[in-house]
Amino acid sequence: MLLQNKTAVVTGCNRGIGKKILEVFSANGATIFACVRNITEEFKIYLNEIKKKFNKIDILINNAGTNVDNLSLRMKDDEWKKVIDINLTSTFLLSKHAIKKMLKNKFGRIVNITSIVGHTGNIG
């Protein structure tokens, strides 16, 4: 088992790449803390749950992402905040927490996954 005794936190797991990551990590023996889009807890509660349940985080996969396609003149403030919170703030805060655990345990990997639109741009 390639990932046996490894603890992984994976965001954006309800479909696509995130779901496949869960399948592969699970099949290879990892202990996984998964976050899906329809999670009812707030982010700080989620982060506290990770802190309580794991003494170590070996792998963090920041896969969660959202978009609100709209012209900036039409985008509502709350739509902008949602995109920033999910795509940037959650990545920063989870990474910050994971890095502390990884440094303490002298091991860790962080993988940030993004959309191709981040590289090419998109109308709206």
Side-chain angles (χ1 to χ4, degrees), residues 29-96:
T31 300
I32 305 165
F33 193 89
C35 176
V36 297
R37 177 174 287 185
N38 61 1
I39 192 166
T40 57
E41 297 169 307
E42 293 197 21
F43 181 75
K44 288 183 181 178
I45 295 170
Y46 176 73
L47 191 57
N48 286 333
E49 285 298 311
I50 293 170
K51 288 178 184 179
K52 281 193 265 182
K53 291 186 180 196
F54 298 113
N55 286 332
K56 65 175 186 158
I57 297 173
D58 298 302
I59 304 162
L60 169 62
I61 308 288
N62 287 308
N63 177 61
T66 191
N67 70 319
V68 178
D69 286 337
N70 208 344
L71 298 175
S72 31
L73 290 172
R74 293 183 186 146
M75 184 175 280
K76 296 175 184 159
D77 292 350
D78 62 326
E79 291 173 326
W80 174 253
K81 184 176 179 354
K82 178 182 175 183
V83 170
I84 295 300
D85 284 350
I86 292 172
N87 294 355
L88 298 177
T89 305
S90 67
T91 298
F92 170 75
L93 292 175
L94 280 170
S95 297
K96 180 179 175 180

